[in-house]
Amino acid sequence: MKLLLDTQIALWALTDSPRLSERARILILNPDAAVFFSAASVWEIAIKHRLARGDMPVSGAEAAGLFREAGYIELPITAAHAAATEKLPGHHADPFDRLLVAQALHEPLRLLTHDRQLLAYGGNVEFV
């Protein structure tokens, strides 16, 4: 099973947040799971951290390091991923989330999210 964590799920998993659902914990900790983090998430964290938003406690560089230490696999952003966002319906306007959906569909990976709006993209998106 190949999982892509959206930004919030990845941060909650790293911090062992009580907001991370039991279902997400089980999937992420499954020894047969390959868990990916996107460069898009690191970019989102970096931007929000730079803006000093209270909900972004680590920098992008720190997050990338912590993701790697946790054993997550880095998923770069490719031109194919970026181009795939163009074909997505307009269910969600956030560019980071749209890129994560495009990556999940293109690779394919199962995108774990806590954003119900992303469920509109179907198949590869799971609300946890």
Side-chain angles (χ1 to χ4, degrees):
M1 166 180 26
K2 294 164 78 177
L3 307 173
L4 175 59
L5 306 183
D6 84 357
T7 306
Q8 199 62 62
I9 296 293
L11 287 171
W12 289 347
L14 281 181
T15 61
D16 196 29
S17 171
R19 296 184 71 187
L20 186 67
S21 72
E22 188 60 28
R23 170 88 176 134
R25 283 181 210 286
I26 289 168
L27 290 170
I28 293 167
L29 295 175
N30 181 333
D32 295 327
V35 181
F36 290 78
F37 73 95
S38 174
S41 291
V42 175
W43 181 23
E44 179 179 15
I45 291 165
I47 289 170
K48 290 180 178 178
H49 188 271
R50 174 73 175 104
L51 295 173
R53 292 198 36 191
D55 61 344
M56 205 52 64
V58 295
S59 71
E62 290 169 323
L66 291 169
F67 293 153
R68 286 188 201 98
E69 283 177 29
Y72 301 165
I73 303 161
E74 183 174 347
L75 179 63
I77 299 167
T78 67
H81 295 151
T85 64
E86 184 177 23
K87 295 178 183 174
L88 291 176
H91 302 310
H92 204 294
D94 183 280
F96 299 109
D97 288 332
R98 289 179 61 79
L99 186 52
L100 291 172
V101 169
Q103 288 182 300
L105 293 171
H106 181 76
E107 288 305 318
L109 300 166
R110 185 186 320 176
L111 176 61
L112 301 185
T113 184
H114 198 69
D115 185 339
R116 287 192 189 279
Q117 282 186 292
L118 295 182
L119 291 175
Y121 291 106
N124 291 31
V125 180
E126 182 174 346
F127 180 83
V128 291

